Amino acid sequence: MIPLRDTIRSRSFPIVNVSLIALNVVVFVFQLGLGQAGFERFVGTYGVVPARVVEGLAQAPLSPETWVPLFTAMFLHGNWFHILGNMLYLWVFGDNVEDTLGHRGYILFYLAVGLVGNFAHVLTNADSFIPTIGASGAVAGVLGAYFILFPRSRILALVPLLFILTFMELPAVVFLFLWFGLQLLNGLTSIAAPGNLVAWWAHIGGFVAGMLLIKVLRPVK
């Protein structure tokens, strides 16, 4: 399913959300200029390599080399499809979460759920030396928060019916339930068939973290 817009209008300009999207795009354009060899070195340095994180936590738990990639990986992407998909979801769902948390609260929330998502990937792929990159864990956290905050919102989306993409307006609770169910199904499948390049458990961990953290951080009415 491809979300196009929601029915909840934000009350203020989502400067943090727009800035996050812009930063991701700028970094991706920078990556494109590195060439294949440079790109691989860049990702190997600033992406999350689960086995390296596990080793770092055991030997030097406070080392920047252990922690920095857990954050920098959120701003790297592998290809145009990867970044466009993540940024589209962030554009549709992030402004309303920022509206609820405020600008400062939203950036802290985004980094926190992204960190949890990356840790979830590390814990489920502890012996992997494959670098993982992408904003997916953080974006999933934003979806988890939206699921709690705006379940009655409606999402205009492109939905595949057989071999045809059809415009449908779905309740947010249905759209996000189906999205999470797909991540969970793929995550459970990946345990039986390791080696999948998609960080399904980062999505799952980020979404659950977003659901829980928003209950703590959202203003009391």
Side-chain angles (χ1 to χ4, degrees), residues 20 22 29 42 75 90 93 101-102 111 123 125 129 137 147 154 162 167 173 183 187 191 195 201 205 209 219:
L20 286 170
V29 171
F42 191 71
F75 300 94
L90 190 57
F93 296 99
L101 295 176
L111 294 174
L123 291 174
N125 296 270
F129 284 91
F147 182 79
R154 300 187 71 82
L162 298 178
F167 289 99
V173 66
Q183 312 311 305
I191 294 176
W201 288 98

Side-chain angles (χ1 to χ4, degrees), residues 68-155:
V68 168
L70 291 166
F71 291 97
T72 55
M74 300 180 204
F75 300 94
L76 311 182
H77 290 85
N79 52 53
W80 281 107
F81 179 80
H82 191 197
I83 189 171
L84 289 176
N86 277 339
M87 295 305 102
L88 176 59
Y89 271 81
L90 190 57
W91 173 260
V92 172
F93 296 99
D95 60 333
N96 301 117
V97 179
E98 180 177 349
D99 215 21
T100 300
L101 295 176
H103 306 312
R104 294 180 183 178
Y106 180 63
I107 186 61
L108 293 175
F109 170 87
Y110 184 89
L111 294 174
V113 293
L115 180 63
V116 172
N118 282 337
F119 262 118
H121 175 69
V122 168
L123 291 174
T124 52
N125 296 270
D127 59 350
S128 173
F129 284 91
I130 301 174
T132 300
I133 56 176
S136 303
V139 174
V142 171
L143 301 187
Y146 195 102
F147 182 79
I148 296 297
L149 293 171
F150 306 105
R152 293 184 178 87
S153 172
R154 300 187 71 82
I155 309 299

